[in-house]
Amino acid sequence: MTSHLHFIMSSTENELQDIIRDFKKHTSKELIKAIQNINESRREWMMNKFSYEANRSGRTSNYKLWQDGFHPVILDTNTKLQQRLNYIHYNPIEAGFVKEEIDWVNSSYLAYEVENYKLSNVPIDILY
């Protein structure tokens, strides 16, 4: 999606809120670096927005890229997992970006629907 992301994750070693915090911190730093180093017509506008949000919230010093909070859903059955996975894959269609799940470039759809397909180097454990 263009303004948010969905992912399914689990951990036996770390708390969910710690994982999300670290994910947001790392991706914010890397995205800010990338934006500053590319010749993009909206670069100044984006950096001003991120700087404004940092000043407005008072919670970060330079730039604020992510909104506070997250919306976890407990997927404690294979049925719930499959429903959420279908929702994630259908989300770009619902938003009108693509006509088929397979057409969304950032989707994990192929990893679940095509045998032996690898989604870059990200391991995906399918539970069902």
Side-chain angles (χ1 to χ4, degrees):
M1 301 306 302
T2 60
S3 64
H4 65 282
L5 59 92
H6 299 276
F7 58 90
I8 296 173
M9 53 127 335
S10 67
S11 175
T12 57
E13 299 175 18
N14 299 296
E15 295 292 324
L16 179 60
Q17 63 270 16
D18 295 338
I19 295 169
I20 299 299
R21 178 202 62 221
D22 293 347
F23 172 82
K24 287 181 175 183
K25 183 177 181 179
H26 175 75
T27 55
S28 291
K29 287 179 180 180
E30 293 302 313
L31 287 167
I32 293 297
K33 272 197 275 185
I35 292 168
Q36 289 173 330
N37 291 321
I38 60 173
N39 187 15
E40 158 60 59
S41 63
R42 298 166 293 177
R43 178 177 48 201
E44 274 190 58
W45 176 81
M46 287 188 288
M47 298 306 290
N48 286 337
K49 287 285 194 188
F50 299 148
S51 179
Y52 172 81
E53 285 302 318
N55 291 329
R56 188 182 68 77
S57 70
R59 294 187 57 186
T60 59
S61 57
N62 297 324
Y63 303 104
K64 181 172 173 57
L65 191 126
W66 294 103
Q67 290 182 340
D68 292 334
F70 60 99
H71 309 287
V73 176
I74 297 173
L75 305 176
D76 54 356
T77 68
N78 282 338
T79 300
K80 289 180 184 177
L81 177 63
Q82 187 63 51
Q83 287 171 341
R84 188 53 58 162
L85 192 57
N86 290 341
Y87 170 82
I88 290 170
H89 290 155
Y90 192 75
N91 208 238
I93 296 169
E94 186 73 26
F97 295 128
V98 294
K99 293 191 183 295
E100 300 289 332
E101 292 97 333
I102 199 168
D103 297 331
W104 187 245
V105 67
N106 296 313
S107 179
S108 62
Y109 178 79
L110 284 174
Y112 292 95
E113 298 299 325
V114 177
E115 196 172 323
N116 299 322
Y117 179 84
K118 275 192 150 178
L119 182 65
S120 59
N121 292 319
V122 179
I124 297 178
D125 295 325
I126 301 174
L127 301 176
Y128 53 94

